[in-house]
C-alpha cells in the first residue's frame, strides 16, 4: 500500500535525494556522512516532471481501457488546446444538448493543503505503479525522469513519494528582501505544477466519475485549475479541499482563450 510511513520513506530514500538538500551534519549516521553534491532544487524538479509525466501517461492508458470496458471516463486532465478541441468534437452530440460552463479553482494556488496534495498524488502514483508492475519483473519497478525502469535504476515507490513530498515542502520565494518558504497552495513557479494539479485532482475525479456511472463524464475536462463541462456536475468543493467558481455559462463559452 502507498500508505507507507513518510518517515520510513524518507529514511530509505535519503541516499537517493540527498543531493537536493546540499548540507550534511557531522553527527548524523555514517550513511549520511559522505559529501553531498550541491545541486539546485530546480534539477530535482526537472526530474520530477519526467517522473510524473510517465505516471500521467499510464493513467491515461488505464482510462482508455476503462472507457472501453466500463464506459467510465475518469481522467479529466488535459494538457493543450488541441486535446480540448478533440474532446469537444468527440462529444458534440452531448455538447449540443447541454449548457456549457467554465469553472475556476479559486484557492488551488493559495490554500491547497500540502498534505492532501501529497496524499492524492501518491494515490494516483500507486495506481499507475500497480498497473505497470508485473509478476514477471525480476527486480522491483522503479521510476526516474526518463520514465519507468525495469532494471532497478530509478526510485522505488516510497522513495518517489518522499522526493515529491520534499520538493512540495521546499519551494522558496524572495519577497521584500526576505526569503520565504511556501507552506500551502500549489507553487506557481514549480516546473511540475501541471502534472501535480492533474494527479492531485485525479483521485477525486475518478471516484466522482464512478459515482455518476457510465457515459456520464464524457463532456468534462480540466486544464490545471480551469474546468469545462457540458452538463457534467463537478465533485463538491469539500472533496477537492478547494473552492471554485463558475466563470462562464451558456450555449457557448470562452475556454483556454
Amino acid at each position: 500500500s502507498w500508505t507507507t510511513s513518510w518517515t520510513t520513506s524518507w529514511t530509505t530514500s535519503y541516499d537517493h535525494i540527498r543531493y537536493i538538500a546540499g548540507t550534511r551534519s557531522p553527527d548524523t549516521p555514517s550513511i549520511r556522512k559522505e559529501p553531498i553534491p550541491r545541486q539546485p532544487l530546480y534539477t530535482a524538479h526537472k526530474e520530477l516532471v519526467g517522473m510524473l509525466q510517465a505516471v500521467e501517461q499510464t493513467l491515461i492508458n488505464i482510462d482508455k481501457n476503462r472507457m472501453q470496458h466500463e464506459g467510465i471516463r475518469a481522467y479529466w486532465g488535459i494538457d493543450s488546446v488541441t486535446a480540448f478541441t478533440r474532446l469537444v468534437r468527440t462529444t458534440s452530440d452531448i455538447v449540443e444538448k447541454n449548457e456549457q460552463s467554465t469553472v475556476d479553482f479559486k484557492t488551488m494556488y493559495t490554500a491547497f493543503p500540502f498534505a492532501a496534495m501529497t496524499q492524492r498524488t501518491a494515490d494516483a502514483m500507486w495506481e499507475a505503479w500497480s498497473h505497470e508492475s508485473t509478476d514477471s519483473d525480476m527486480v522491483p519497478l522503479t521510476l526516474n525522469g526518463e520514465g519507468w525502469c525495469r532494471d532497478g535504476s530509478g526510485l522505488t515507490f516510497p522513495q518517489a513519494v518522499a522526493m515529491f513530498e520534499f520538493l512540495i515542502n521546499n519551494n522558496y520565494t524572495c519577497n521584500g528582501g526576505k526569503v520565504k518558504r511556501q507552506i500551502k497552495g500549489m507553487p506557481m513557479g514549480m516546473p511540475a505544477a501541471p502534472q501535480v494539479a492533474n494527479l492531485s485532482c485525479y483521485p477525486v475525479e475518478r471516484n466522482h466519475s464512478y459515482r455518476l456511472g457510465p457515459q456520464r463524464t464524457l463532456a468534462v475536462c480540466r486544464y490545471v485549475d480551469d474546468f469545462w463541462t457540458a452538463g457534467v456536475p463537478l465533485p463538491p468543493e469539500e472533496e477537492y479541499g478547494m473552492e471554485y467558481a463558475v466563470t462562464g455559462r451558456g450555449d457557448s463559452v470562452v475556454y483556454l482563450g
Side-chain angles (χ1 to χ4, degrees):
S1 171
W2 66 261
T3 52
T4 305
S5 162
W6 302 130
T7 302
T8 301
S9 299
W10 172 259
T11 302
T12 57
S13 66
Y14 188 89
D15 260 2
H16 295 267
I17 62 177
R18 58 193 174 86
Y19 69 93
I20 300 171
T23 61
R24 68 184 179 94
S25 173
D27 57 354
T28 51
S30 59
I31 191 174
R32 303 185 183 183
K33 284 186 178 180
E34 62 266 63
I36 299 174
R38 295 176 181 270
Q39 300 185 32
L41 285 169
Y42 191 77
T43 302
H45 275 292
K46 289 194 294 184
E47 182 82 358
L48 182 66
V49 170
M51 293 167 62
L52 297 187
Q53 284 176 335
V55 171
E56 278 190 298
Q57 187 57 55
T58 295
L59 294 177
I60 289 171
N61 293 338
I62 291 173
D63 204 52
K64 290 178 180 177
N65 185 68
R66 177 166 44 214
M67 182 62 198
Q68 181 179 356
H69 292 90
E70 303 177 54
I72 293 176
R73 178 174 169 271
Y75 192 88
W76 296 3
I78 61 170
D79 60 2
S80 66
V81 173
T82 301
F84 173 62
T85 302
R86 188 185 308 119
L87 176 64
V88 172
R89 287 175 177 170
T90 57
T91 59
S92 58
D93 55 333
I94 299 175
V95 175
E96 291 174 0
K97 297 175 183 177
N98 291 275
E99 181 181 60
Q100 300 178 60
S101 300
T102 55
V103 179
D104 177 61
F105 275 125
K106 298 192 299 180
T107 58
M108 176 176 280
Y109 291 102
T110 58
F112 192 5
F114 282 174
M117 194 184 304
T118 301
Q119 180 179 7
R120 293 176 194 165
T121 301
D123 182 321
M125 291 172 65
W126 180 248
E127 181 176 337
W129 220 288
S130 300
H131 179 80
E132 292 288 344
S133 299
T134 65
D135 293 335
S136 61
D137 286 340
M138 299 299 293
V139 294
L141 181 69
T142 58
L143 184 64
N144 64 22
E146 299 298 320
W148 300 104
C149 308
R150 301 192 181 277
D151 60 0
S153 61
L155 299 180
T156 64
F157 174 73
Q159 292 165 353
V161 172
M163 177 180 178
F164 174 82
E165 186 176 29
F166 181 87
L167 292 176
I168 285 292
N169 281 279
N170 285 275
N171 283 278
Y172 301 88
T173 184
C174 186
N175 186 355
K178 296 181 179 179
V179 176
K180 298 181 179 180
R181 182 171 68 90
Q182 185 169 348
I183 60 173
K184 62 180 179 179
M186 180 74 69
M188 293 189 69
M190 180 178 175
Q195 291 76 36
V196 175
N198 285 339
L199 297 181
S200 59
C201 289
Y202 168 69
V204 175
E205 292 158 1
R206 175 196 61 201
N207 297 342
H208 184 66
S209 297
Y210 271 99
R211 285 198 302 268
L212 293 178
Q215 310 299 320
R216 290 293 308 280
T217 56
L218 302 183
V220 62
C221 65
R222 178 184 39 71
Y223 181 80
V224 188
D225 61 341
D226 293 310
F227 290 94
W228 169 85
T229 172
V232 180
L234 301 182
E237 292 176 316
E238 293 76 18
E239 292 188 18
Y240 279 117
M242 294 177 280
E243 300 176 10
Y244 54 69
V246 175
T247 54
R249 178 177 287 150
D251 294 334
S252 64
V253 293
V254 176
Y255 184 63
L256 302 183

